[in-house]
């Protein structure tokens, strides 16, 4: 049943930690990029397995905060949207900068382009 529903699934709300982990694992196996939010100790495995784990800074447990990549300090989901928009803007500005630089200057700019990218995750 999960394989039938997954292509149409965009947001999963009010799910159990076991369901979160199961879905994250399946989506990653299919090559999808997955973000997960969580606030409890039981959410830690899904937060770690996801490409991006977001925990709640005010109501979240220390275990969830340690397992996540990003801690939402104000527990406001609007902050996630704002961060995504900001990140896309930074990426677009770097892309434009590199596109319009003369070839001689590009060699100096490329090594610095990685500064806006998130760090690569280590495989477990």
């Amino acid at each position: 049943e999960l394989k039938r529903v997954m292509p149409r699934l965009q947001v999963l709300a009010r799910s159990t930690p076991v369901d979160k982990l199961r879905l994250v694992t399946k989506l990653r196996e299919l090559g999808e990029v997955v973000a997960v939010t969580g606030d409890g100790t039981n959410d830690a495995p899904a937060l770690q397995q996801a490409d991006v784990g977001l925990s709640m800074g005010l109501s979240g447990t220390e275990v969830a905060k340690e397992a996540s990549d990003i801690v939402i300090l104000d527990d406001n989901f609007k902050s996630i949207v704002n961060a995504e928009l900001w990140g896309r803007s930074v990426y677009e500005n770097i892309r434009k900068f590199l596109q319009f630089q003369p070839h001689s200057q590009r060699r100096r700019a490329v090594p610095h382009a990685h500064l806006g990218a998130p760090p690569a995750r280590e495989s477990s």
Side-chain angles (χ1 to χ4, degrees):
E1 183 180 345
L2 184 60
K3 286 183 181 179
R4 183 177 54 81
V5 174
M6 278 183 18
R8 296 187 317 272
L9 190 62
Q10 293 181 357
V11 175
L12 182 66
R14 310 293 290 167
S15 60
T16 66
V18 172
D19 288 340
K20 285 183 186 182
L21 180 59
R22 184 172 166 222
L23 188 62
V24 168
T25 302
K26 291 292 182 191
L27 287 169
R28 298 251 355 246
E29 286 174 3
L30 294 172
E32 298 291 335
V33 176
V34 182
V36 172
T37 59
D39 61 0
T41 302
N42 293 338
D43 292 326
L47 289 167
Q48 286 179 325
Q49 183 70 27
D51 292 295
V52 179
L54 301 110
S55 65
M56 304 300 152
L58 297 175
S59 63
T61 64
E62 288 303 314
V63 173
K65 291 177 196 177
E66 289 294 322
S68 66
D69 299 301
I70 299 170
V71 177
I72 305 167
L73 297 177
D74 60 1
D75 286 13
N76 186 344
F77 284 100
K78 178 83 171 139
S79 298
I80 298 171
V81 175
N82 290 338
E84 180 185 1
L85 292 173
W86 183 82
R88 288 181 184 211
S89 176
V90 168
Y91 173 79
E92 187 65 20
N93 286 334
I94 291 171
R95 189 187 66 76
K96 287 178 183 177
F97 171 78
L98 293 175
Q99 180 180 358
F100 294 111
Q101 289 302 303
H103 187 355
S104 63
Q105 291 180 353
R106 188 172 293 168
R107 279 181 270 156
R108 290 183 294 195
V110 171
H112 301 289
H114 73 282
L115 295 176
R121 281 198 116 139
E122 294 182 24
S123 306
S124 301

